[in-house]
Amino acid sequence: MSKLIDLAVSDFSNREVRTLEMPEWETTLYAKNLTLNDKAKWLNRADNDTTDYLCYSVIFGVMDSEGEAVFDIADKTRLRNNVDPELVSRMANFVLSVPDRAEADREKN
């Protein structure tokens, strides 16, 4: 039998890219599953500023259907000051969330 870590790594690497519908913008956004290292880098970069952490999760975590970033670091100020904070929070929560496997299986059926 495989070691548990091998099973855990295999499970994580086989997870699908997640999608988020943004009807306000008539678009679909995508996010890969994040590692703890991804989250730690953004948290460190945010220097304990929760708003910056949310912005970094959007900037570095949201992508298009081709896997390309839809925001870049130059968008941070505009995300903070000129975009509906509820939408920024929705995108950040989408990126940072850990999908419920049972729920994901139900959505497939």
Side-chain angles (χ1 to χ4, degrees):
M1 181 172 171
S2 294
K3 289 183 176 184
L4 186 56
I5 189 65
D6 294 332
L7 294 172
V9 169
S10 176
D11 171 65
F12 184 74
S13 65
N14 289 324
R15 291 187 182 181
E16 295 182 16
V17 170
R18 298 173 290 121
T19 61
L20 173 67
E21 296 297 324
M22 294 295 290
E24 299 85 354
W25 303 334
E26 298 178 357
T27 194
T28 301
L29 301 175
Y30 301 83
K32 68 176 185 164
N33 294 293
L34 302 178
T35 65
L36 285 177
N37 195 45
D38 293 327
K39 292 180 180 185
K41 282 193 278 186
W42 302 343
L43 190 58
N44 185 50
R45 187 172 191 161
D47 197 29
N48 293 322
D49 183 321
T50 305
T51 304
D52 277 356
Y53 183 60
L54 295 176
C55 288
Y56 290 137
S57 68
V58 170
I59 292 166
F60 299 117
V62 175
M63 56 189 172
D64 64 18
S65 61
E66 304 297 317
E68 297 295 321
V70 295
F71 298 105
D72 64 38
I73 197 66
D75 297 322
K76 181 180 158 202
T77 301
R78 293 176 71 194
L79 284 167
R80 284 184 66 108
N81 299 313
N82 304 105
V83 178
D84 182 338
E86 295 302 318
L87 299 182
V88 173
S89 293
R90 187 189 320 158
M91 290 184 291
N93 288 330
F94 162 66
V95 170
L96 296 169
S97 71
V98 177
D100 179 340
R101 294 301 296 241
E103 185 177 323
D105 290 341
R106 280 193 301 273
E107 289 177 3
K108 286 182 186 177
N109 295 326

